[in-house]
Amino acid sequence: MSIVDTPERRQLRELTRAFVTREVLPHLADWERAGEVPRALHATAAKIGLLGIGFPESVGGSGGDLFDSIVVTEEIIRSGGSSGLIAALFTHGIALPHMVAAAGGQSGGLLRGRLGGGQLRGDDDLVDRYVRPTLAGTMIGALAITEPDGGSDVAAIRTTARRDGDHYVVNGSKTYITSGVRADFVTTAVCTDFPGSGELSLLVIDKGTPGFTVGRRLEKLGWHCSDTAELSFVDVRVPVTNRIGEENTGFLAIMQHFAAERLSLATQAYATAQRCVELATRWCRDRETFGRPLASRQLVRHRLAEMHTRAEAARAYVHEVAARVAAGEPVVTEVAMAKNVAVAACDQVVDQALQLHGGFGYLRDAEVERHYRDARILGIGGGTTEIMNEIIAKGMGL
Ligand SMILES: Cc1cc2nc3c(=O)[nH]c(=O)nc-3n(C[C@H](O)[C@H](O)[C@H](O)COP(=O)(O)OP(=O)(O)OC[C@H]3O[C@@H](n4cnc5c(N)ncnc54)[C@H](O)[C@@H]3O)c2cc1C
């Protein structure tokens, strides 16, 4: 039996599919036009336990492990949702794990934290103020690392936080921040030494704090139902109690949780590929050209066979790497390879799936059109394909 095919996980799959069918599919096109998902969706997902999957019950989560999170991610996309929906509804997957880990917990899902545990100053309070309400669907969080000057070089972050008594004074700006328009709080990477020193810390900054402004909603190629924002900080006073973990531990925390985000993006990539194989197969069975179904042509059958093979191979490799992550192995290089393998499979499959749909594939009415646009970000977010290759090359001793 496959690790994701246990009776419990089959049930989790059914729960997820029912949620998507009932709560998402009738509205997704409207949310894509509106540029965001409604807050009520967070509460609904929380009520049935989906929002908290992968987070321990001790911090308000639903429990479950890495493969439970994988099952939810796979099923959201395979039942007609999208990676954009995951980005919008599960942004807490990147906004919260640092807080959970610093408080001594472990977020066990794709966003598993490995900060070393231990009871650190003030962090239980952060769990009560931010983690619990977010997992209950009453707050929305975001993670802000990327800056206008660059995202790949995290150590070069220029947003500064200068200590002033019981507060930090934050100055700088962030961009491309997922859920930044709607977020009630932002887990923000700041430099707690001179800009570019790489001495980073993570501060939780509340919306409404004087000097913190949310800029324009950024318009994008894909992920239309996921709001994306620029953020500006001018002399923003943030209580020291809103710091996650010790000062200058931010870089390590970001890197540790990047690995989890990358596995999540890899899962979204192969699940998108699988969904597109399903859509294209259905289309090719039904669509007739020159008096015969497309699927009766050997060329088309072989193309579908190759797409299916590519998606399944990516899935198998990501699962293998995930199993090693779950076992606690240090597999930074393998996680980078898993992301690149899954993204390459996805890129190729969504392109061919759209092609097989002909003109209809290019229309907004076609689900494959949305996946084609949404897929493009997977090789950029959470570390680009090139940065993954840098990590892999380093792992090879180059
Ligand atoms: C829709 C969307 C949502 C996002 N959500 C978030 C979010 O929630 N929070 C957040 O913090 N960020 C977010 N990002 C930002 C994302 O993580 C960055 O865009 C990404 O890390 C790349 O950074 P950059 O855009 O600054 O590109 P750059 O770092 O400027 O890189 C530009 C190009 O150069 C390449 N490159 C860079 N360095 C090297 C090198 N050494 N060798 C070879 N090639 C190199 C890159 O691969 C890329 O192709 C989001 C972005 C988008 C588009």
Side-chain angles (χ1 to χ4, degrees), residues 87 91 94 142-154 174-180 187 220 222-223 226-228 258 261 377 379-388 390:
T91 321
I94 54 174
L143 173 70
I145 297 172
T146 307
E147 303 189 340
D149 284 342
S152 299
D153 188 0
V154 174
K174 299 287 178 179
T175 194
Y176 315 143
I177 305 308
T178 298
S179 294
T187 300
K220 313 184 291 296
W223 276 15
S226 166
D227 57 291
T228 311
F258 256 154
E261 185 182 355
I377 183 61
I380 296 173
T384 64
T385 299
E386 292 77 13
I387 295 303
M388 295 307 99
E390 276 296 294

mmCIF file of all heavy atoms in Angstrom, residues 87 91 94 142-154 174-180 187 220 222-223 226-228 258 261 377 379-388 390, ligand 1:
data_model
loop_
_atom_site.group_PDB
_atom_site.id
_atom_site.type_symbol
_atom_site.label_atom_id
_atom_site.label_comp_id
_atom_site.label_asym_id
_atom_site.label_seq_id
_atom_site.Cartn_x
_atom_site.Cartn_y
_atom_site.Cartn_z
ATOM 1 N N ALA A 87 -1.952 28.869 -2.563
ATOM 2 C CA ALA A 87 -1.150 30.025 -2.137
ATOM 3 C C ALA A 87 -1.972 30.973 -1.278
ATOM 4 O O ALA A 87 -1.501 31.480 -0.252
ATOM 5 C CB ALA A 87 -0.614 30.765 -3.364
ATOM 6 N N THR A 91 -1.512 30.378 3.024
ATOM 7 C CA THR A 91 -0.330 31.236 3.199
ATOM 8 C C THR A 91 0.245 31.057 4.598
ATOM 9 O O THR A 91 1.445 31.234 4.822
ATOM 10 C CB THR A 91 -0.686 32.730 2.998
ATOM 11 O OG1 THR A 91 -1.610 32.854 1.925
ATOM 12 C CG2 THR A 91 0.545 33.551 2.688
ATOM 13 N N ILE A 94 3.484 29.270 5.243
ATOM 14 C CA ILE A 94 4.812 29.893 5.262
ATOM 15 C C ILE A 94 4.910 30.984 6.339
ATOM 16 O O ILE A 94 6.006 31.360 6.727
ATOM 17 C CB ILE A 94 5.239 30.448 3.868
ATOM 18 C CG1 ILE A 94 4.186 31.403 3.285
ATOM 19 C CG2 ILE A 94 5.537 29.316 2.906
ATOM 20 C CD1 ILE A 94 4.631 32.080 1.980
ATOM 21 N N ALA A 142 0.999 36.559 6.513
ATOM 22 C CA ALA A 142 1.829 36.508 5.303
ATOM 23 C C ALA A 142 3.292 36.416 5.733
ATOM 24 O O ALA A 142 3.620 36.659 6.906
ATOM 25 C CB ALA A 142 1.598 37.759 4.457
ATOM 26 N N LEU A 143 4.147 36.051 4.797
ATOM 27 C CA LEU A 143 5.592 35.996 5.051
ATOM 28 C C LEU A 143 6.275 36.952 4.077
ATOM 29 O O LEU A 143 6.104 36.829 2.857
ATOM 30 C CB LEU A 143 6.125 34.577 4.836
ATOM 31 C CG LEU A 143 7.647 34.420 4.898
ATOM 32 C CD1 LEU A 143 8.165 34.624 6.332
ATOM 33 C CD2 LEU A 143 8.075 33.033 4.392
ATOM 34 N N ALA A 144 7.042 37.900 4.613
ATOM 35 C CA ALA A 144 7.690 38.892 3.754
ATOM 36 C C ALA A 144 9.208 38.778 3.849
ATOM 37 O O ALA A 144 9.807 39.172 4.856
ATOM 38 C CB ALA A 144 7.234 40.297 4.136
ATOM 39 N N ILE A 145 9.806 38.225 2.804
ATOM 40 C CA ILE A 145 11.262 38.136 2.713
ATOM 41 C C ILE A 145 11.749 38.984 1.535
ATOM 42 O O ILE A 145 12.631 39.828 1.678
ATOM 43 C CB ILE A 145 11.705 36.661 2.519
ATOM 44 C CG1 ILE A 145 11.311 35.822 3.748
ATOM 45 C CG2 ILE A 145 13.213 36.580 2.289
ATOM 46 C CD1 ILE A 145 11.529 34.339 3.579
ATOM 47 N N THR A 146 11.127 38.790 0.370
ATOM 48 C CA THR A 146 11.610 39.418 -0.861
ATOM 49 C C THR A 146 11.498 40.943 -0.824
ATOM 50 O O THR A 146 10.517 41.493 -0.345
ATOM 51 C CB THR A 146 10.824 38.873 -2.068
ATOM 52 O OG1 THR A 146 10.883 37.446 -2.038
ATOM 53 C CG2 THR A 146 11.379 39.388 -3.384
ATOM 54 N N GLU A 147 12.522 41.595 -1.365
ATOM 55 C CA GLU A 147 12.550 43.064 -1.421
ATOM 56 C C GLU A 147 12.697 43.511 -2.880
ATOM 57 O O GLU A 147 13.108 42.715 -3.733
ATOM 58 C CB GLU A 147 13.733 43.576 -0.587
ATOM 59 C CG GLU A 147 13.632 43.087 0.848
ATOM 60 C CD GLU A 147 14.652 43.740 1.779
ATOM 61 O OE1 GLU A 147 15.660 44.269 1.276
ATOM 62 O OE2 GLU A 147 14.399 43.713 2.998
ATOM 63 N N PRO A 148 12.375 44.775 -3.141
ATOM 64 C CA PRO A 148 12.480 45.246 -4.532
ATOM 65 C C PRO A 148 13.879 45.028 -5.124
ATOM 66 O O PRO A 148 14.020 44.791 -6.325
ATOM 67 C CB PRO A 148 12.156 46.739 -4.418
ATOM 68 C CG PRO A 148 11.302 46.847 -3.205
ATOM 69 C CD PRO A 148 11.803 45.801 -2.250
ATOM 70 N N ASP A 149 14.921 45.085 -4.281
ATOM 71 C CA ASP A 149 16.286 44.920 -4.792
ATOM 72 C C ASP A 149 16.646 43.475 -5.096
ATOM 73 O O ASP A 149 17.698 43.206 -5.677
ATOM 74 C CB ASP A 149 17.306 45.458 -3.774
ATOM 75 C CG ASP A 149 17.346 46.972 -3.784
ATOM 76 O OD1 ASP A 149 16.866 47.565 -4.775
ATOM 77 O OD2 ASP A 149 17.836 47.563 -2.801
ATOM 78 N N GLY A 150 15.813 42.521 -4.651
ATOM 79 C CA GLY A 150 16.144 41.132 -4.951
ATOM 80 C C GLY A 150 15.569 40.157 -3.952
ATOM 81 O O GLY A 150 15.356 40.504 -2.780
ATOM 82 N N GLY A 151 15.316 38.930 -4.444
ATOM 83 C CA GLY A 151 14.739 37.895 -3.602
ATOM 84 C C GLY A 151 15.651 36.691 -3.422
ATOM 85 O O GLY A 151 15.647 36.039 -2.383
ATOM 86 N N SER A 152 16.455 36.401 -4.454
ATOM 87 C CA SER A 152 17.281 35.190 -4.383
ATOM 88 C C SER A 152 18.351 35.290 -3.301
ATOM 89 O O SER A 152 18.644 34.322 -2.605
ATOM 90 C CB SER A 152 17.959 34.945 -5.737
ATOM 91 O OG SER A 152 16.999 34.755 -6.748
ATOM 92 N N ASP A 153 18.917 36.485 -3.163
ATOM 93 C CA ASP A 153 20.013 36.682 -2.209
ATOM 94 C C ASP A 153 19.436 37.148 -0.862
ATOM 95 O O ASP A 153 19.423 38.335 -0.537
ATOM 96 C CB ASP A 153 20.982 37.733 -2.781
ATOM 97 C CG ASP A 153 22.246 37.867 -1.949
ATOM 98 O OD1 ASP A 153 22.359 37.149 -0.927
ATOM 99 O OD2 ASP A 153 23.103 38.690 -2.317
ATOM 100 N N VAL A 154 18.976 36.172 -0.075
ATOM 101 C CA VAL A 154 18.269 36.488 1.175
ATOM 102 C C VAL A 154 19.186 37.233 2.159
ATOM 103 O O VAL A 154 18.756 38.146 2.863
ATOM 104 C CB VAL A 154 17.710 35.194 1.808
ATOM 105 C CG1 VAL A 154 17.104 35.468 3.174
ATOM 106 C CG2 VAL A 154 16.658 34.574 0.889
ATOM 107 N N LYS A 174 9.088 45.610 1.096
ATOM 108 C CA LYS A 174 9.017 44.216 0.631
ATOM 109 C C LYS A 174 8.139 44.200 -0.604
ATOM 110 O O LYS A 174 7.281 45.073 -0.793
ATOM 111 C CB LYS A 174 8.384 43.335 1.729
ATOM 112 C CG LYS A 174 9.175 43.317 3.037
ATOM 113 C CD LYS A 174 10.454 42.514 2.909
ATOM 114 C CE LYS A 174 11.268 42.531 4.199
ATOM 115 N NZ LYS A 174 12.512 41.730 4.083
ATOM 116 N N THR A 175 8.297 43.182 -1.418
ATOM 117 C CA THR A 175 7.437 43.097 -2.601
ATOM 118 C C THR A 175 7.090 41.650 -2.936
ATOM 119 O O THR A 175 7.728 40.730 -2.423
ATOM 120 C CB THR A 175 8.093 43.799 -3.816
ATOM 121 O OG1 THR A 175 7.085 43.977 -4.817
ATOM 122 C CG2 THR A 175 9.263 43.011 -4.378
ATOM 123 N N TYR A 176 6.067 41.495 -3.774
ATOM 124 C CA TYR A 176 5.544 40.197 -4.222
ATOM 125 C C TYR A 176 5.002 39.374 -3.046
ATOM 126 O O TYR A 176 5.113 38.143 -3.051
ATOM 127 C CB TYR A 176 6.616 39.356 -4.940
ATOM 128 C CG TYR A 176 7.469 40.055 -5.958
ATOM 129 C CD1 TYR A 176 8.819 39.723 -6.093
ATOM 130 C CD2 TYR A 176 6.938 41.015 -6.810
ATOM 131 C CE1 TYR A 176 9.616 40.339 -7.046
ATOM 132 C CE2 TYR A 176 7.729 41.641 -7.760
ATOM 133 C CZ TYR A 176 9.064 41.305 -7.868
ATOM 134 O OH TYR A 176 9.857 41.918 -8.790
ATOM 135 N N ILE A 177 4.452 40.015 -2.034
ATOM 136 C CA ILE A 177 4.073 39.274 -0.822
ATOM 137 C C ILE A 177 2.676 38.658 -0.946
ATOM 138 O O ILE A 177 1.671 39.367 -1.036
ATOM 139 C CB ILE A 177 4.181 40.170 0.435
ATOM 140 C CG1 ILE A 177 5.600 40.768 0.510
ATOM 141 C CG2 ILE A 177 3.821 39.394 1.686
ATOM 142 C CD1 ILE A 177 6.748 39.766 0.416
ATOM 143 N N THR A 178 2.647 37.326 -0.939
ATOM 144 C CA THR A 178 1.394 36.586 -1.062
ATOM 145 C C THR A 178 0.491 36.857 0.135
ATOM 146 O O THR A 178 0.945 36.792 1.283
ATOM 147 C CB THR A 178 1.690 35.072 -1.179
ATOM 148 O OG1 THR A 178 2.454 34.855 -2.363
ATOM 149 C CG2 THR A 178 0.407 34.254 -1.237
ATOM 150 N N SER A 179 -0.761 37.154 -0.149
ATOM 151 C CA SER A 179 -1.793 37.515 0.851
ATOM 152 C C SER A 179 -1.459 38.828 1.557
ATOM 153 O O SER A 179 -2.083 39.149 2.580
ATOM 154 C CB SER A 179 -2.023 36.387 1.876
ATOM 155 O OG SER A 179 -2.576 35.264 1.238
ATOM 156 N N GLY A 180 -0.522 39.573 1.007
ATOM 157 C CA GLY A 180 -0.120 40.847 1.629
ATOM 158 C C GLY A 180 -1.239 41.868 1.699
ATOM 159 O O GLY A 180 -1.268 42.702 2.597
ATOM 160 N N THR A 187 4.875 38.121 8.974
ATOM 161 C CA THR A 187 6.145 37.623 9.499
ATOM 162 C C THR A 187 7.223 38.190 8.579
ATOM 163 O O THR A 187 7.314 37.815 7.410
ATOM 164 C CB THR A 187 6.155 36.082 9.497
ATOM 165 O OG1 THR A 187 5.083 35.623 10.320
ATOM 166 C CG2 THR A 187 7.477 35.528 9.997
ATOM 167 N N LYS A 220 -0.903 39.947 -11.938
ATOM 168 C CA LYS A 220 0.035 38.887 -12.286
ATOM 169 C C LYS A 220 -0.444 38.057 -13.477
ATOM 170 O O LYS A 220 -1.616 38.072 -13.819
ATOM 171 C CB LYS A 220 0.203 37.948 -11.081
ATOM 172 C CG LYS A 220 0.442 38.647 -9.759
ATOM 173 C CD LYS A 220 0.684 37.662 -8.631
ATOM 174 C CE LYS A 220 -0.518 36.850 -8.245
ATOM 175 N NZ LYS A 220 -1.636 37.628 -7.699
ATOM 176 N N GLY A 222 -0.530 34.728 -13.440
ATOM 177 C CA GLY A 222 -1.379 33.665 -12.903
ATOM 178 C C GLY A 222 -1.651 33.887 -11.421
ATOM 179 O O GLY A 222 -1.507 35.002 -10.918
ATOM 180 N N TRP A 223 -2.060 32.801 -10.741
ATOM 181 C CA TRP A 223 -2.412 32.885 -9.312
ATOM 182 C C TRP A 223 -3.349 34.076 -9.070
ATOM 183 O O TRP A 223 -3.182 34.847 -8.127
ATOM 184 C CB TRP A 223 -1.150 33.028 -8.453
ATOM 185 C CG TRP A 223 -0.468 31.733 -8.115
ATOM 186 C CD1 TRP A 223 -0.659 30.510 -8.705
ATOM 187 C CD2 TRP A 223 0.516 31.512 -7.086
ATOM 188 N NE1 TRP A 223 0.153 29.561 -8.121
ATOM 189 C CE2 TRP A 223 0.879 30.149 -7.139
ATOM 190 C CE3 TRP A 223 1.132 32.333 -6.137
ATOM 191 C CZ2 TRP A 223 1.827 29.583 -6.264
ATOM 192 C CZ3 TRP A 223 2.074 31.785 -5.277
ATOM 193 C CH2 TRP A 223 2.421 30.424 -5.337
ATOM 194 N N SER A 226 -5.070 34.760 -5.732
ATOM 195 C CA SER A 226 -4.147 34.997 -4.611
ATOM 196 C C SER A 226 -3.665 36.445 -4.675
ATOM 197 O O SER A 226 -3.020 36.842 -5.642
ATOM 198 C CB SER A 226 -2.964 34.026 -4.723
ATOM 199 O OG SER A 226 -1.917 34.415 -3.887
ATOM 200 N N ASP A 227 -4.012 37.235 -3.660
ATOM 201 C CA ASP A 227 -3.598 38.647 -3.669
ATOM 202 C C ASP A 227 -2.108 38.767 -3.356
ATOM 203 O O ASP A 227 -1.557 38.030 -2.533
ATOM 204 C CB ASP A 227 -4.423 39.465 -2.666
ATOM 205 C CG ASP A 227 -4.338 38.928 -1.260
ATOM 206 O OD1 ASP A 227 -4.880 37.826 -1.017
ATOM 207 O OD2 ASP A 227 -3.710 39.581 -0.401
ATOM 208 N N THR A 228 -1.467 39.698 -4.025
ATOM 209 C CA THR A 228 -0.021 39.887 -3.891
ATOM 210 C C THR A 228 0.242 41.383 -3.713
ATOM 211 O O THR A 228 -0.321 42.187 -4.445
ATOM 212 C CB THR A 228 0.703 39.398 -5.173
ATOM 213 O OG1 THR A 228 0.224 38.099 -5.499
ATOM 214 C CG2 THR A 228 2.205 39.350 -4.992
ATOM 215 N N PHE A 258 12.430 27.162 4.227
ATOM 216 C CA PHE A 258 12.426 27.176 2.760
ATOM 217 C C PHE A 258 12.320 25.753 2.230
ATOM 218 O O PHE A 258 11.645 25.487 1.235
ATOM 219 C CB PHE A 258 13.729 27.782 2.228
ATOM 220 C CG PHE A 258 13.568 29.188 1.711
ATOM 221 C CD1 PHE A 258 14.644 30.063 1.698
ATOM 222 C CD2 PHE A 258 12.349 29.636 1.209
ATOM 223 C CE1 PHE A 258 14.510 31.364 1.223
ATOM 224 C CE2 PHE A 258 12.208 30.931 0.728
ATOM 225 C CZ PHE A 258 13.300 31.799 0.739
ATOM 226 N N GLU A 261 8.798 24.724 2.166
ATOM 227 C CA GLU A 261 8.041 25.430 1.125
ATOM 228 C C GLU A 261 8.355 24.815 -0.245
ATOM 229 O O GLU A 261 7.478 24.657 -1.090
ATOM 230 C CB GLU A 261 8.411 26.921 1.151
ATOM 231 C CG GLU A 261 7.590 27.751 0.186
ATOM 232 C CD GLU A 261 7.988 29.235 0.178
ATOM 233 O OE1 GLU A 261 8.846 29.626 0.998
ATOM 234 O OE2 GLU A 261 7.454 29.976 -0.650
ATOM 235 N N ILE A 377 4.741 30.207 -12.001
ATOM 236 C CA ILE A 377 5.383 30.744 -10.802
ATOM 237 C C ILE A 377 6.148 29.659 -10.022
ATOM 238 O O ILE A 377 7.050 29.960 -9.228
ATOM 239 C CB ILE A 377 4.323 31.396 -9.861
ATOM 240 C CG1 ILE A 377 4.951 32.044 -8.610
ATOM 241 C CG2 ILE A 377 3.282 30.398 -9.429
ATOM 242 C CD1 ILE A 377 5.914 33.136 -8.887
ATOM 243 N N GLY A 379 8.433 27.620 -10.663
ATOM 244 C CA GLY A 379 9.897 27.615 -10.824
ATOM 245 C C GLY A 379 10.546 28.931 -10.410
ATOM 246 O O GLY A 379 11.758 29.127 -10.604
ATOM 247 N N ILE A 380 9.731 29.834 -9.853
ATOM 248 C CA ILE A 380 10.261 31.134 -9.402
ATOM 249 C C ILE A 380 10.133 31.272 -7.879
ATOM 250 O O ILE A 380 11.090 31.618 -7.188
ATOM 251 C CB ILE A 380 9.506 32.297 -10.105
ATOM 252 C CG1 ILE A 380 9.742 32.260 -11.620
ATOM 253 C CG2 ILE A 380 9.938 33.648 -9.525
ATOM 254 C CD1 ILE A 380 8.903 33.249 -12.428
ATOM 255 N N GLY A 381 8.933 30.970 -7.359
ATOM 256 C CA GLY A 381 8.690 31.146 -5.919
ATOM 257 C C GLY A 381 9.471 30.139 -5.077
ATOM 258 O O GLY A 381 9.833 29.057 -5.557
ATOM 259 N N GLY A 382 9.753 30.521 -3.836
ATOM 260 C CA GLY A 382 10.431 29.615 -2.898
ATOM 261 C C GLY A 382 11.857 29.285 -3.312
ATOM 262 O O GLY A 382 12.433 28.291 -2.861
ATOM 263 N N GLY A 383 12.445 30.136 -4.162
ATOM 264 C CA GLY A 383 13.790 29.867 -4.701
ATOM 265 C C GLY A 383 13.643 29.413 -6.144
ATOM 266 O O GLY A 383 12.914 28.451 -6.431
ATOM 267 N N THR A 384 14.290 30.122 -7.052
ATOM 268 C CA THR A 384 14.127 29.839 -8.479
ATOM 269 C C THR A 384 14.830 28.536 -8.877
ATOM 270 O O THR A 384 15.648 27.984 -8.125
ATOM 271 C CB THR A 384 14.740 30.981 -9.323
ATOM 272 O OG1 THR A 384 16.149 31.007 -9.063
ATOM 273 C CG2 THR A 384 14.135 32.333 -8.974
ATOM 274 N N THR A 385 14.526 28.093 -10.079
ATOM 275 C CA THR A 385 15.172 26.889 -10.628
ATOM 276 C C THR A 385 16.689 27.056 -10.625
ATOM 277 O O THR A 385 17.442 26.121 -10.301
ATOM 278 C CB THR A 385 14.650 26.655 -12.066
ATOM 279 O OG1 THR A 385 13.236 26.448 -11.986
ATOM 280 C CG2 THR A 385 15.301 25.444 -12.710
ATOM 281 N N GLU A 386 17.150 28.276 -10.949
ATOM 282 C CA GLU A 386 18.601 28.529 -10.997
ATOM 283 C C GLU A 386 19.208 28.432 -9.587
ATOM 284 O O GLU A 386 20.306 27.883 -9.420
ATOM 285 C CB GLU A 386 18.878 29.912 -11.600
ATOM 286 C CG GLU A 386 18.538 30.040 -13.083
ATOM 287 C CD GLU A 386 17.037 30.189 -13.363
ATOM 288 O OE1 GLU A 386 16.270 30.434 -12.409
ATOM 289 O OE2 GLU A 386 16.634 30.038 -14.530
ATOM 290 N N ILE A 387 18.498 28.971 -8.596
ATOM 291 C CA ILE A 387 19.013 28.896 -7.223
ATOM 292 C C ILE A 387 19.011 27.429 -6.745
ATOM 293 O O ILE A 387 19.936 26.997 -6.046
ATOM 294 C CB ILE A 387 18.193 29.812 -6.281
ATOM 295 C CG1 ILE A 387 18.387 31.289 -6.696
ATOM 296 C CG2 ILE A 387 18.567 29.602 -4.819
ATOM 297 C CD1 ILE A 387 19.831 31.787 -6.719
ATOM 298 N N MET A 388 17.983 26.651 -7.159
ATOM 299 C CA MET A 388 17.986 25.214 -6.830
ATOM 300 C C MET A 388 19.228 24.553 -7.443
ATOM 301 O O MET A 388 19.887 23.720 -6.812
ATOM 302 C CB MET A 388 16.722 24.515 -7.360
ATOM 303 C CG MET A 388 15.404 24.947 -6.736
ATOM 304 S SD MET A 388 15.325 24.891 -4.944
ATOM 305 C CE MET A 388 15.607 26.592 -4.550
ATOM 306 N N GLU A 390 22.057 25.947 -8.048
ATOM 307 C CA GLU A 390 23.216 26.355 -7.246
ATOM 308 C C GLU A 390 23.369 25.427 -6.032
ATOM 309 O O GLU A 390 24.470 24.988 -5.696
ATOM 310 C CB GLU A 390 23.039 27.802 -6.755
ATOM 311 C CG GLU A 390 23.459 28.864 -7.749
ATOM 312 C CD GLU A 390 24.959 28.779 -8.044
ATOM 313 O OE1 GLU A 390 25.765 29.039 -7.137
ATOM 314 O OE2 GLU A 390 25.305 28.438 -9.189
HETATM 315 C C1 LIG B 1 3.266 35.469 -7.322
HETATM 316 C C2 LIG B 1 4.430 35.578 -6.415
HETATM 317 C C3 LIG B 1 4.277 35.322 -5.057
HETATM 318 C C4 LIG B 1 5.362 35.495 -4.191
HETATM 319 N N1 LIG B 1 5.163 35.340 -2.850
HETATM 320 C C5 LIG B 1 6.163 35.699 -1.999
HETATM 321 C C6 LIG B 1 5.927 35.752 -0.579
HETATM 322 O O1 LIG B 1 4.835 35.446 -0.097
HETATM 323 N N2 LIG B 1 6.951 36.152 0.223
HETATM 324 C C7 LIG B 1 8.173 36.488 -0.278
HETATM 325 O O2 LIG B 1 9.040 36.840 0.511
HETATM 326 N N3 LIG B 1 8.438 36.433 -1.611
HETATM 327 C C8 LIG B 1 7.448 36.064 -2.473
HETATM 328 N N4 LIG B 1 7.682 36.020 -3.840
HETATM 329 C C9 LIG B 1 9.007 36.369 -4.326
HETATM 330 C C10 LIG B 1 9.810 35.190 -4.892
HETATM 331 O O3 LIG B 1 10.211 34.346 -3.852
HETATM 332 C C11 LIG B 1 10.990 35.809 -5.656
HETATM 333 O O4 LIG B 1 10.440 36.406 -6.831
HETATM 334 C C12 LIG B 1 12.042 34.794 -6.033
HETATM 335 O O5 LIG B 1 12.707 34.329 -4.886
HETATM 336 C C13 LIG B 1 13.100 35.400 -6.990
HETATM 337 O O6 LIG B 1 13.565 36.605 -6.506
HETATM 338 P P1 LIG B 1 13.582 37.888 -7.493
HETATM 339 O O7 LIG B 1 12.241 37.985 -8.105
HETATM 340 O O8 LIG B 1 14.055 39.050 -6.730
HETATM 341 O O9 LIG B 1 14.588 37.511 -8.640
HETATM 342 P P2 LIG B 1 16.189 37.790 -8.636
HETATM 343 O O10 LIG B 1 16.773 37.312 -7.365
HETATM 344 O O11 LIG B 1 16.419 39.212 -9.028
HETATM 345 O O12 LIG B 1 16.638 36.847 -9.832
HETATM 346 C C14 LIG B 1 16.385 37.184 -11.205
HETATM 347 C C15 LIG B 1 16.810 36.017 -12.083
HETATM 348 O O13 LIG B 1 18.214 35.781 -11.909
HETATM 349 C C16 LIG B 1 18.432 34.437 -11.520
HETATM 350 N N5 LIG B 1 19.565 34.408 -10.582
HETATM 351 C C17 LIG B 1 19.674 35.073 -9.419
HETATM 352 N N6 LIG B 1 20.853 34.794 -8.832
HETATM 353 C C18 LIG B 1 21.480 33.915 -9.645
HETATM 354 C C19 LIG B 1 22.734 33.235 -9.587
HETATM 355 N N7 LIG B 1 23.558 33.380 -8.544
HETATM 356 N N8 LIG B 1 23.072 32.406 -10.588
HETATM 357 C C20 LIG B 1 22.237 32.233 -11.655
HETATM 358 N N9 LIG B 1 21.042 32.849 -11.764
HETATM 359 C C21 LIG B 1 20.671 33.671 -10.763
HETATM 360 C C22 LIG B 1 17.153 33.988 -10.878
HETATM 361 O O14 LIG B 1 17.023 32.570 -10.909
HETATM 362 C C23 LIG B 1 16.138 34.690 -11.748
HETATM 363 O O15 LIG B 1 15.921 33.939 -12.907
HETATM 364 C C24 LIG B 1 6.621 35.831 -4.708
HETATM 365 C C25 LIG B 1 6.786 36.052 -6.078
HETATM 366 C C26 LIG B 1 5.706 35.961 -6.922
HETATM 367 C C27 LIG B 1 5.896 36.268 -8.379
#
